[in-house]
Amino acid sequence: MHEVTAAERLAIARHPQRPNITDYINALFTDFFEQRGDRACREDAAILGGVALFHGQPITVIGTRKGKTLEENLKCNFGMPGPEGYRKALRLMKQAEKFRRPIFTFIDTSGAYPGLEAEERGQGEAIARNLFEMSRLTVPVIAVVTGEGNSGGALALAVADRVLMLENAVYAILSPEGFASILWKDAQRSGEAAGLMKLTAPELLALGVIDDIIPEPEGGAHMAPAQAIREVDRALRRHLAVLSKESGAALANQRYQKFRRMGAGKEEA
């Protein structure tokens, strides 16, 4: 059997027909009520979030939003949030904590929007604030990397008790094109970069960066979306059942320790 390479997984993760946040919300949750705006500047369509029911339990769901057509992608800035999107996400997380609702995040982004106007409005601070505040939340937080999870733009939604990845998703400090441009001054070597970056789910599970891998249909989630979404549903239910037994203080402490331990001993190895 052919072993799927990192470059091949990257191509699958970027497939335009891969299930996106809208598909997951429509299939997994009921009574979804979208909430918009960061209460400071404006609405950011690159992040979708709100309150819903998951098998009858109230939850908060937040995700980076990509479209499947050029028109849809233009509306949501190709899934690249600005600072308003991250501030909206944090607003919803703090609301979830107030009302004791578990939080699910779905991540599929090439990174935070790198434009000048985003930097002017505090992109770096907004991402850093999310990392700080998520580390202290006292409700269960489960993050699912469904496609691409690149840079701080992904990490800003991924300081979670459980970080799950679909089998063909990728999760990295930056895109392979960016990595190749920095290292070799040649973005065309992105396939080679992908093989070096340890961005696939099996590699990241071995490193302790993620907690579980969600299986996909052969060929990728876009080949049988309903089957892929059922696997996500099973994983969310399984992990939520475990986390729901913990106290708020225990969740926050364990989450903090989880990220503090990350990478320990890897330098010597």
Side-chain angles (χ1 to χ4, degrees):
M1 182 180 291
H2 169 68
E3 184 176 348
V4 184
T5 67
E8 289 169 336
R9 291 194 192 276
L10 178 64
I12 295 172
R14 289 175 171 173
H15 195 284
Q17 295 307 310
R18 194 170 174 84
N20 61 19
I21 179 64
T22 305
D23 297 317
Y24 287 109
I25 286 176
N26 290 339
L28 293 175
F29 309 110
T30 60
D31 298 277
F32 175 65
F33 176 69
E34 182 181 357
Q35 297 181 292
R36 300 181 180 180
D38 66 344
R39 300 297 186 267
C41 183
R42 65 182 188 181
E43 160 67 358
D44 185 349
I47 284 188
L48 174 63
V51 181
L53 296 178
F54 179 64
H55 296 280
Q57 178 177 0
I59 59 96
T60 289
V61 56
I62 304 163
T64 46
R65 173 161 46 188
K66 279 185 180 179
K68 295 183 179 179
T69 66
L70 178 59
E71 183 180 11
E72 290 176 354
N73 273 311
L74 287 171
K75 288 181 180 178
C76 61
N77 200 32
F78 293 85
M80 294 185 292
E84 301 80 20
Y86 294 114
R87 291 180 180 129
K88 172 172 71 172
L90 181 57
R91 177 173 75 83
L92 298 185
M93 291 180 202
K94 298 301 285 186
Q95 180 196 82
E97 183 177 44
K98 178 179 179 179
F99 291 101
R100 310 308 305 160
R101 292 192 297 262
I103 299 166
F104 295 156
T105 67
F106 291 81
I107 298 160
D108 184 12
T109 180
S110 56
Y113 182 58
L116 178 61
E117 61 270 34
E119 298 298 337
E120 287 175 339
R121 294 196 299 272
Q123 183 75 288
E125 189 278 336
I127 291 173
R129 175 65 59 181
N130 275 28
L131 306 184
F132 174 72
E133 296 289 353
M134 286 189 77
S135 71
R136 307 195 302 174
L137 291 170
T138 57
V139 293
V141 185
I142 302 176
V144 186
V145 183
T146 61
E148 279 189 282
N150 288 339
S151 192
L155 189 59
L157 297 181
V159 183
D161 302 292
R162 299 287 187 274
V163 179
L164 319 180
M165 280 181 73
L166 267 71
E167 185 179 354
N168 291 305
V170 295
Y171 188 33
I173 56 169
L174 78 170
S175 70
E177 290 81 2
F179 182 99
S181 296
I182 293 169
L183 194 61
W184 302 307
K185 306 296 187 288
D186 183 3
Q188 298 301 314
R189 296 176 68 178
S190 61
E192 185 180 349
L196 294 174
M197 291 174 67
K198 297 190 183 300
L199 45 67
T200 68
E203 291 170 318
L204 293 170
L205 183 64
L207 287 170
V209 174
I210 66 168
D211 303 289
D212 199 4
I213 298 173
I214 302 173
E216 293 187 33
E218 185 175 355
H222 61 283
M223 300 296 289
Q227 180 183 339
I229 290 170
R230 281 196 300 272
E231 293 292 347
V232 172
D233 180 60
R234 291 190 188 101
L236 289 175
R237 280 188 289 168
R238 184 173 71 253
H239 287 285
L240 181 60
V242 174
L243 294 172
S244 296
K245 297 174 183 176
E246 300 284 351
S247 69
L251 286 169
N253 182 60
Q254 290 169 17
R255 189 183 312 120
Y256 176 81
Q257 295 300 331
K258 163 189 164 83
F259 283 89
R260 289 288 294 174
R261 287 193 303 269
M262 203 167 287
K266 295 298 186 293
E267 295 87 351
E268 294 179 8

